[in-house]
Amino acid sequence: GAVRMGKCFGKPDRNAEPQETSPIYSGVEYTPSREQRKPVNQVKKTVGMGNDVSKQRLDAASKTGIYNITGKESKEFPKDCLKVSNLRVLTLDKCQLLKVPPEISSLAASLQKLMLPNNKLRSLPAELSAFSALQQIDLSGNALESLPDCFAAMQKLKDMTLASNQLTSLPASIGSAKNLKVLDVSNNRLSSLPAAIGDLVNLEDLDCNSNRISSLPDTMGGMKRLKRLNACHNQLAAGAIPGALMRDTPLDSLRIEGNPLAGLKDEDGYAEYEKRAKTHELKNIDQRVRTGDLSLGLGTAEQYAAMHKT
């Protein structure tokens, strides 16, 4: 039987902060010491406390390595964060940022997470090419039209979210991020993916849904760890999916809803893909049964029984 086409799979919350971080105070994750508690309470009652809050944020970042501003419509990049020599996590979310200054290069040696979602960025500085310690990037919800060739040094990068921008292409250097595991370029204006994307041999999860992609590059057949591909709502037609992608990779979840391509049955490599997809679905159902999740729909339960008969 044909493999059931489900809904586009969901994405993890990439804005989540590490568990060890302390509660948020005035937009920054900071827990005052016992000696500091009294003056902090006094500051909270003060009307004009902008400078005090900035100092507290900077002090907290120096101690924790985490600098976080959420929901403050300043439009200006907070350059005081550049003073933190050991900064590991920089989060500026919903700040209406228009630009990232070249001086951000001062954080290149230590920064592991660069989280700048939901701003108004149209471009990024070329200085990002020096960020060799980065493990996660979130630039979703901006207005980026292009990306700099900045990925060659990012050998530790594992997770990159570029969703909901205005990207029309991806730079070939993206294939240099050899340890990337999760890439989300959904909801952009991409008409194609670069051939170099096939160099991402450790990529497991690729989400390119809601673009204008008409075909996938043959090089994707070399993505030896790719498990999930969401290509919903593009312009894929018959023959647009490389046979090697379905035949030679471990891909077991391929979503194509909302494309001119009505199904996968007649595509090259479908037989091999179907076997993996069925095994994957059966394992998921087995896991739900073992864990006591009995909320199986009738169709799924019937499929489960049929699979066990074969």
Side-chain angles (χ1 to χ4, degrees):
V3 178
R4 183 170 54 87
M5 305 296 290
K7 294 182 179 179
C8 298
F9 55 80
K11 297 182 286 295
D13 180 7
R14 298 187 177 91
N15 293 326
E17 291 295 340
Q19 294 298 316
E20 72 272 15
T21 57
S22 49
I24 293 178
Y25 166 66
S26 299
V28 61
E29 303 189 40
Y30 178 50
T31 300
S33 65
R34 183 172 298 176
E35 293 78 17
Q36 294 169 318
R37 204 162 290 153
K38 184 176 179 180
V40 166
N41 290 334
Q42 290 174 353
V43 170
K44 289 169 70 177
K45 297 176 182 179
T46 303
V47 176
M49 63 177 189
N51 291 335
D52 295 293
V53 171
S54 295
K55 184 178 184 304
Q56 291 167 8
R57 181 181 295 120
L58 200 57
D59 289 345
S62 296
K63 295 174 183 176
T64 65
I66 299 171
Y67 188 104
N68 184 345
I69 299 179
T70 300
K72 181 180 178 182
E73 299 185 4
S74 64
K75 297 186 180 180
E76 296 293 330
F77 187 90
K79 291 191 176 181
D80 60 341
C81 72
L82 304 178
K83 302 174 184 177
V84 184
S85 60
N86 63 336
L87 197 65
R88 294 181 295 106
V89 180
L90 174 60
T91 300
L92 304 173
D93 186 358
K94 300 184 183 73
C95 294
Q96 303 292 314
L97 290 182
L98 298 173
K99 185 178 181 181
V100 177
E103 292 85 353
I104 195 174
S105 60
S106 65
L107 305 177
S110 62
L111 198 67
Q112 298 174 15
K113 292 187 178 183
L114 178 61
M115 319 295 282
L116 306 176
N118 307 309
N119 287 291
K120 295 185 176 182
L121 300 173
R122 290 189 175 276
S123 63
L124 298 170
E127 284 75 9
L128 287 181
S129 61
F131 281 68
S132 58
L134 271 181
Q135 298 178 23
Q136 182 177 1
I137 299 175
D138 186 353
L139 295 164
S140 59
N142 279 281
L144 295 172
E145 298 174 354
S146 63
L147 298 173
D149 273 318
C150 61
F151 299 102
M154 296 184 182
Q155 296 304 303
K156 295 183 179 180
L157 186 62
K158 295 181 180 179
D159 187 325
M160 182 160 61
T161 305
L162 301 168
S164 301
N165 280 282
Q166 298 176 22
L167 297 171
T168 57
S169 65
L170 298 175
S173 67
I174 198 170
S176 300
K178 301 293 187 182
N179 288 300
L180 197 62
K181 292 185 177 182
V182 178
L183 176 60
D184 184 353
V185 293
S186 62
N187 195 27
N188 277 281
R189 300 177 180 179
L190 301 173
S191 58
S192 64
L193 296 176
I197 202 165
D199 294 333
L200 297 176
V201 293
N202 288 302
L203 196 71
E204 299 174 2
D205 190 331
L206 173 59
D207 191 343
C208 59
N209 90 81
S210 301
N211 278 282
R212 304 168 183 177
I213 300 170
S214 57
S215 65
L216 300 175
D218 292 338
T219 55
M220 291 183 68
M223 302 174 79
K224 299 302 184 183
R225 294 193 177 182
L226 188 66
K227 300 278 288 183
R228 295 169 293 278
L229 172 57
N230 183 351
C232 299
H233 306 295
N234 279 284
Q235 301 299 321
L236 299 173
I241 300 176
L245 174 61
M246 292 202 289
R247 185 175 53 247
D248 301 333
T249 71
L251 186 69
D252 57 26
S253 177
L254 173 58
R255 304 303 186 195
I256 59 165
E257 299 91 330
N259 280 279
L261 179 62
L264 295 171
K265 282 186 177 181
D266 297 328
E267 297 298 304
D268 182 26
Y270 175 72
E272 292 85 347
Y273 165 73
E274 184 186 33
K275 291 177 183 178
R276 293 192 306 272
K278 280 187 174 182
T279 301
H280 172 69
E281 188 167 3
L282 182 57
K283 285 181 179 178
N284 283 346
I285 296 172
D286 282 339
Q287 179 65 25
R288 293 171 68 183
V289 171
R290 284 197 301 271
T291 56
D293 181 1
L294 303 179
S295 58
L296 298 174
L298 179 60
T300 307
E302 290 176 343
Q303 186 177 29
Y304 175 80
M307 281 179 166
H308 272 288
K309 288 180 179 179
T310 57

